[in-house]
mmCIF file of all heavy atoms in Angstrom:
data_model
loop_
_atom_site.group_PDB
_atom_site.id
_atom_site.type_symbol
_atom_site.label_atom_id
_atom_site.label_comp_id
_atom_site.label_asym_id
_atom_site.label_seq_id
_atom_site.Cartn_x
_atom_site.Cartn_y
_atom_site.Cartn_z
ATOM 1 N N PHE A 85 -36.380 10.580 6.588
ATOM 2 C CA PHE A 85 -36.015 9.595 7.646
ATOM 3 C C PHE A 85 -36.293 8.215 7.266
ATOM 4 O O PHE A 85 -35.520 7.274 7.614
ATOM 5 C CB PHE A 85 -36.617 10.047 8.944
ATOM 6 C CG PHE A 85 -35.976 11.215 9.662
ATOM 7 C CD1 PHE A 85 -36.608 12.337 9.974
ATOM 8 C CD2 PHE A 85 -34.590 11.103 9.953
ATOM 9 C CE1 PHE A 85 -36.002 13.389 10.491
ATOM 10 C CE2 PHE A 85 -33.909 12.121 10.552
ATOM 11 C CZ PHE A 85 -34.565 13.316 10.859
ATOM 12 N N TYR A 86 -37.410 8.009 6.637
ATOM 13 C CA TYR A 86 -37.827 6.628 6.198
ATOM 14 C C TYR A 86 -36.786 6.121 5.193
ATOM 15 O O TYR A 86 -36.336 4.945 5.341
ATOM 16 C CB TYR A 86 -39.240 6.632 5.542
ATOM 17 C CG TYR A 86 -39.594 5.412 4.885
ATOM 18 C CD1 TYR A 86 -40.006 4.287 5.694
ATOM 19 C CD2 TYR A 86 -39.605 5.223 3.582
ATOM 20 C CE1 TYR A 86 -40.363 3.064 5.220
ATOM 21 C CE2 TYR A 86 -40.019 4.005 2.990
ATOM 22 C CZ TYR A 86 -40.297 2.989 3.820
ATOM 23 O OH TYR A 86 -40.732 1.751 3.194
ATOM 24 N N LYS A 87 -36.446 6.902 4.209
ATOM 25 C CA LYS A 87 -35.480 6.437 3.225
ATOM 26 C C LYS A 87 -34.086 6.284 3.813
ATOM 27 O O LYS A 87 -33.337 5.376 3.538
ATOM 28 C CB LYS A 87 -35.389 7.456 2.101
ATOM 29 C CG LYS A 87 -36.676 7.386 1.123
ATOM 30 C CD LYS A 87 -36.631 8.397 0.044
ATOM 31 C CE LYS A 87 -37.921 8.242 -0.703
ATOM 32 N NZ LYS A 87 -38.031 9.241 -1.801
ATOM 33 N N MET A 88 -33.650 7.098 4.739
ATOM 34 C CA MET A 88 -32.456 7.020 5.480
ATOM 35 C C MET A 88 -32.422 5.718 6.245
ATOM 36 O O MET A 88 -31.449 4.990 6.374
ATOM 37 C CB MET A 88 -32.155 8.211 6.372
ATOM 38 C CG MET A 88 -30.727 8.231 7.022
ATOM 39 S SD MET A 88 -29.390 8.163 5.801
ATOM 40 C CE MET A 88 -29.425 9.829 5.329
ATOM 41 N N ALA A 89 -33.553 5.430 6.866
ATOM 42 C CA ALA A 89 -33.673 4.187 7.738
ATOM 43 C C ALA A 89 -33.516 2.956 6.848
ATOM 44 O O ALA A 89 -32.764 1.980 7.088
ATOM 45 C CB ALA A 89 -35.006 4.106 8.435
ATOM 46 N N ILE A 90 -34.088 2.950 5.601
ATOM 47 C CA ILE A 90 -33.990 1.813 4.670
ATOM 48 C C ILE A 90 -32.521 1.751 4.268
ATOM 49 O O ILE A 90 -31.989 0.620 4.317
ATOM 50 C CB ILE A 90 -34.943 2.020 3.467
ATOM 51 C CG1 ILE A 90 -36.396 1.909 3.888
ATOM 52 C CG2 ILE A 90 -34.582 1.095 2.359
ATOM 53 C CD1 ILE A 90 -37.307 2.255 2.785
ATOM 54 N N PHE A 91 -31.884 2.882 3.982
ATOM 55 C CA PHE A 91 -30.489 2.793 3.544
ATOM 56 C C PHE A 91 -29.614 2.244 4.660
ATOM 57 O O PHE A 91 -28.724 1.282 4.404
ATOM 58 C CB PHE A 91 -30.042 4.209 3.238
ATOM 59 C CG PHE A 91 -28.526 4.332 2.995
ATOM 60 C CD1 PHE A 91 -28.022 3.837 1.783
ATOM 61 C CD2 PHE A 91 -27.733 4.888 3.890
ATOM 62 C CE1 PHE A 91 -26.608 3.950 1.542
ATOM 63 C CE2 PHE A 91 -26.387 5.001 3.695
ATOM 64 C CZ PHE A 91 -25.837 4.510 2.524
ATOM 65 N N LEU A 92 -29.780 2.738 5.911
ATOM 66 C CA LEU A 92 -28.925 2.268 7.073
ATOM 67 C C LEU A 92 -29.210 0.829 7.323
ATOM 68 O O LEU A 92 -28.339 0.115 7.667
ATOM 69 C CB LEU A 92 -29.226 3.174 8.267
ATOM 70 C CG LEU A 92 -28.643 4.566 8.137
ATOM 71 C CD1 LEU A 92 -29.036 5.399 9.341
ATOM 72 C CD2 LEU A 92 -27.209 4.603 7.976
ATOM 73 N N GLN A 93 -30.525 0.395 7.195
ATOM 74 C CA GLN A 93 -30.809 -0.965 7.338
ATOM 75 C C GLN A 93 -30.087 -1.883 6.441
ATOM 76 O O GLN A 93 -29.528 -2.877 6.828
ATOM 77 C CB GLN A 93 -32.347 -1.145 7.358
ATOM 78 C CG GLN A 93 -32.830 -2.579 7.602
ATOM 79 C CD GLN A 93 -32.589 -2.966 9.131
ATOM 80 O OE1 GLN A 93 -32.599 -2.105 9.956
ATOM 81 N NE2 GLN A 93 -32.356 -4.187 9.319
ATOM 82 N N GLY A 94 -30.141 -1.386 5.186
ATOM 83 C CA GLY A 94 -29.342 -2.141 4.191
ATOM 84 C C GLY A 94 -27.860 -2.244 4.408
ATOM 85 O O GLY A 94 -27.259 -3.281 4.312
ATOM 86 N N GLU A 95 -27.251 -1.110 4.830
ATOM 87 C CA GLU A 95 -25.878 -1.102 5.208
ATOM 88 C C GLU A 95 -25.554 -1.958 6.307
ATOM 89 O O GLU A 95 -24.588 -2.730 6.382
ATOM 90 C CB GLU A 95 -25.385 0.309 5.547
ATOM 91 C CG GLU A 95 -25.347 1.284 4.377
ATOM 92 C CD GLU A 95 -24.239 0.808 3.373
ATOM 93 O OE1 GLU A 95 -23.165 0.618 3.837
ATOM 94 O OE2 GLU A 95 -24.504 0.863 2.205
ATOM 95 N N LEU A 96 -26.435 -1.987 7.399
ATOM 96 C CA LEU A 96 -26.167 -2.775 8.569
ATOM 97 C C LEU A 96 -26.387 -4.303 8.194
ATOM 98 O O LEU A 96 -25.647 -5.133 8.735
ATOM 99 C CB LEU A 96 -27.126 -2.391 9.720
ATOM 100 C CG LEU A 96 -26.812 -1.049 10.409
ATOM 101 C CD1 LEU A 96 -27.988 -0.715 11.410
ATOM 102 C CD2 LEU A 96 -25.512 -1.090 11.054
ATOM 103 N N THR A 97 -27.381 -4.540 7.384
ATOM 104 C CA THR A 97 -27.515 -5.926 6.983
ATOM 105 C C THR A 97 -26.316 -6.444 6.141
ATOM 106 O O THR A 97 -25.871 -7.541 6.412
ATOM 107 C CB THR A 97 -28.758 -6.135 6.045
ATOM 108 O OG1 THR A 97 -29.908 -5.577 6.825
ATOM 109 C CG2 THR A 97 -29.037 -7.464 5.540
ATOM 110 N N ALA A 98 -25.808 -5.639 5.332
ATOM 111 C CA ALA A 98 -24.517 -6.021 4.520
ATOM 112 C C ALA A 98 -23.368 -6.237 5.404
ATOM 113 O O ALA A 98 -22.692 -7.174 5.279
ATOM 114 C CB ALA A 98 -24.340 -4.925 3.523
ATOM 115 N N THR A 99 -23.255 -5.288 6.406
ATOM 116 C CA THR A 99 -22.098 -5.511 7.369
ATOM 117 C C THR A 99 -22.299 -6.735 8.122
ATOM 118 O O THR A 99 -21.329 -7.486 8.372
ATOM 119 C CB THR A 99 -22.070 -4.231 8.277
ATOM 120 O OG1 THR A 99 -21.934 -3.057 7.528
ATOM 121 C CG2 THR A 99 -20.944 -4.344 9.226
ATOM 122 N N CYS A 100 -23.436 -7.073 8.629
ATOM 123 C CA CYS A 100 -23.843 -8.205 9.357
ATOM 124 C C CYS A 100 -23.495 -9.455 8.502
ATOM 125 O O CYS A 100 -22.888 -10.390 9.049
ATOM 126 C CB CYS A 100 -25.181 -8.182 9.852
ATOM 127 S SG CYS A 100 -25.706 -9.576 10.991
ATOM 128 N N GLU A 101 -23.847 -9.488 7.267
ATOM 129 C CA GLU A 101 -23.593 -10.598 6.407
ATOM 130 C C GLU A 101 -22.049 -10.767 6.179
ATOM 131 O O GLU A 101 -21.617 -11.879 6.171
ATOM 132 C CB GLU A 101 -24.346 -10.361 5.127
ATOM 133 C CG GLU A 101 -25.856 -10.574 5.229
ATOM 134 C CD GLU A 101 -26.583 -10.326 3.956
ATOM 135 O OE1 GLU A 101 -25.857 -9.961 2.942
ATOM 136 O OE2 GLU A 101 -27.784 -10.398 3.966
ATOM 137 N N ASP A 102 -21.356 -9.629 6.104
ATOM 138 C CA ASP A 102 -19.961 -9.809 5.996
ATOM 139 C C ASP A 102 -19.269 -10.328 7.192
ATOM 140 O O ASP A 102 -18.409 -11.242 7.142
ATOM 141 C CB ASP A 102 -19.302 -8.302 5.790
ATOM 142 C CG ASP A 102 -19.585 -7.753 4.386
ATOM 143 O OD1 ASP A 102 -19.950 -8.534 3.412
ATOM 144 O OD2 ASP A 102 -19.375 -6.517 4.203
ATOM 145 N N TYR A 103 -19.791 -9.963 8.389
ATOM 146 C CA TYR A 103 -19.211 -10.560 9.580
ATOM 147 C C TYR A 103 -19.588 -12.062 9.693
ATOM 148 O O TYR A 103 -18.772 -12.885 10.181
ATOM 149 C CB TYR A 103 -19.721 -9.786 10.856
ATOM 150 C CG TYR A 103 -18.939 -8.547 11.155
ATOM 151 C CD1 TYR A 103 -19.643 -7.296 11.232
ATOM 152 C CD2 TYR A 103 -17.650 -8.612 11.263
ATOM 153 C CE1 TYR A 103 -18.977 -6.086 11.430
ATOM 154 C CE2 TYR A 103 -16.899 -7.432 11.446
ATOM 155 C CZ TYR A 103 -17.610 -6.179 11.607
ATOM 156 O OH TYR A 103 -16.881 -5.004 11.853
ATOM 157 N N LYS A 104 -20.741 -12.461 9.260
ATOM 158 C CA LYS A 104 -21.140 -13.815 9.182
ATOM 159 C C LYS A 104 -20.231 -14.655 8.316
ATOM 160 O O LYS A 104 -19.800 -15.727 8.660
ATOM 161 C CB LYS A 104 -22.614 -14.039 8.886
ATOM 162 C CG LYS A 104 -23.558 -13.642 9.937
ATOM 163 C CD LYS A 104 -24.987 -13.837 9.516
ATOM 164 C CE LYS A 104 -25.974 -13.376 10.609
ATOM 165 N NZ LYS A 104 -27.356 -13.465 10.094
ATOM 166 N N LEU A 105 -19.993 -14.092 7.136
ATOM 167 C CA LEU A 105 -19.090 -14.673 6.234
ATOM 168 C C LEU A 105 -17.653 -14.918 6.786
ATOM 169 O O LEU A 105 -17.026 -15.907 6.734
ATOM 170 C CB LEU A 105 -18.947 -13.826 4.886
ATOM 171 C CG LEU A 105 -17.942 -14.370 3.929
ATOM 172 C CD1 LEU A 105 -18.330 -15.752 3.373
ATOM 173 C CD2 LEU A 105 -17.857 -13.372 2.739
ATOM 174 N N LEU A 106 -17.116 -13.774 7.465
ATOM 175 C CA LEU A 106 -15.828 -13.854 8.093
ATOM 176 C C LEU A 106 -15.826 -14.955 9.248
ATOM 177 O O LEU A 106 -14.816 -15.684 9.403
ATOM 178 C CB LEU A 106 -15.442 -12.486 8.737
ATOM 179 C CG LEU A 106 -14.920 -11.503 7.732
ATOM 180 C CD1 LEU A 106 -14.814 -10.157 8.427
ATOM 181 C CD2 LEU A 106 -13.670 -11.898 7.176
ATOM 182 N N GLU A 107 -16.966 -15.054 9.968
ATOM 183 C CA GLU A 107 -17.037 -16.020 11.063
ATOM 184 C C GLU A 107 -17.001 -17.425 10.420
ATOM 185 O O GLU A 107 -16.237 -18.358 11.025
ATOM 186 C CB GLU A 107 -18.365 -15.731 11.792
ATOM 187 C CG GLU A 107 -18.499 -16.760 12.971
ATOM 188 C CD GLU A 107 -19.899 -16.560 13.779
ATOM 189 O OE1 GLU A 107 -20.671 -15.742 13.244
ATOM 190 O OE2 GLU A 107 -19.984 -17.185 14.743
ATOM 191 N N ASN A 108 -17.729 -17.645 9.325
ATOM 192 C CA ASN A 108 -17.682 -18.947 8.657
ATOM 193 C C ASN A 108 -16.277 -19.308 8.183
ATOM 194 O O ASN A 108 -15.776 -20.379 8.295
ATOM 195 C CB ASN A 108 -18.744 -19.063 7.641
ATOM 196 C CG ASN A 108 -20.091 -19.087 8.097
ATOM 197 O OD1 ASN A 108 -20.336 -19.354 9.203
ATOM 198 N ND2 ASN A 108 -21.122 -18.734 7.326
#
Side-chain angles (χ1 to χ4, degrees):
F85 281 122
Y86 174 74
K87 290 178 180 179
M88 185 61 76
I90 291 173
F91 171 75
L92 291 175
Q93 184 67 33
E95 289 293 315
L96 290 174
T97 302
T99 304
C100 187
E101 289 174 3
D102 287 344
Y103 280 125
K104 285 179 183 176
L105 176 64
L106 282 174
E107 183 181 7
N108 289 338

